[in-house]
């Protein structure tokens, strides 16, 4: 099975990231199975930083509840890089504790946005999938 994201979910996170720039934007990506994203669950970047992000624990809890209530899986989480490429920073890798989910990064550094998904295990990027 190949990782996919619907146009609607992608447009939702793209709009969110453009509205939040130059601050990094973030959220969860949900879907009916682990390889299909159909929804962007918007989250607040409580760091309000152009270079890193953190989720609000209360929102994380609400997102997980929302997914469970609606029978959706957490495919992964995403954040934007307003001015740098779509690849994990050293800090992104350090904070990637779940080997089973995808870490999506949207780069707005070039005129055409770039959207990649990464699998990260034991401090190493083991897979990269280009989605846009
Ligand atoms: Zn990052």
């Amino acid at each position: 099975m190949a990782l996919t994201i619907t146009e609607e979910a992608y447009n939702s996170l793209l709009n969110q990231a453009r509205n939040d720039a130059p601050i990094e934007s973030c959220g969860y990506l949900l879907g009916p199975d682990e390889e299909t994203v159909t929804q962007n669950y918007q989250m607040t970047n409580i760091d309000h930083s152009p270079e890193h992000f953190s989720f609000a624990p209360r929102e994380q809890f609400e997102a997980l509840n929302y997914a469970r209530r609606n029978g959706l899986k957490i495919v992964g989480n995403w954040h934007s890089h307003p001015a740098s490429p779509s690849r994990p920073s050293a800090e992104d890798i350090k904070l990637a504790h779940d080997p089973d989910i995808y870490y999506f990064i949207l780069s707005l550094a070039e005129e055409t946005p770039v959207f990649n998904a990464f699998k990260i295990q034991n401090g190493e990027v083991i897979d990269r999938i280009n989605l846009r």
Side-chain angles (χ1 to χ4, degrees):
M1 208 161 49
L3 180 64
T4 59
I5 180 167
T6 61
E7 204 60 32
E8 190 185 357
Y10 178 71
N11 285 333
S12 167
L13 70 89
L14 182 61
N15 286 334
Q16 182 191 337
R18 282 177 164 156
N19 286 335
D20 288 348
I23 298 302
E24 283 195 9
S25 210
C26 56
Y28 276 111
L29 294 178
L30 312 175
D33 61 66
E34 286 85 352
E35 303 285 325
T36 310
V37 176
T38 55
Q39 263 189 61
N40 169 37
Y41 189 98
Q42 299 198 15
M43 303 279 284
T44 308
N45 175 6
I46 58 171
D47 291 344
H48 301 291
S49 162
E51 280 159 14
H52 50 92
F53 76 101
S54 298
F55 292 135
R58 190 193 160 79
E59 279 188 2
Q60 273 185 295
F61 181 75
E62 286 166 0
L64 299 182
N65 270 342
Y66 174 86
R68 199 173 302 126
R69 266 201 323 275
N70 290 280
L72 297 167
K73 307 272 192 243
I74 307 278
V75 183
N77 67 54
W78 73 275
H79 70 283
S80 64
H81 282 179
S84 60
S86 172
R87 57 168 180 262
S89 66
E91 193 186 3
D92 290 336
I93 291 172
K94 201 176 75 188
L95 297 174
H97 295 302
D98 190 338
D100 296 323
I101 65 166
Y102 287 99
Y103 293 88
F104 298 81
I105 298 177
L106 175 73
S107 170
L108 300 176
E110 307 292 334
E111 193 168 319
T112 304
V114 178
F115 191 53
N116 288 314
F118 302 88
K119 278 259 167 106
I120 301 171
Q121 290 181 1
N122 301 318
E124 262 184 89
V125 176
I126 59 156
D127 199 9
R128 181 191 72 94
I129 297 155
N130 176 248
L131 292 163
R132 291 289 189 283

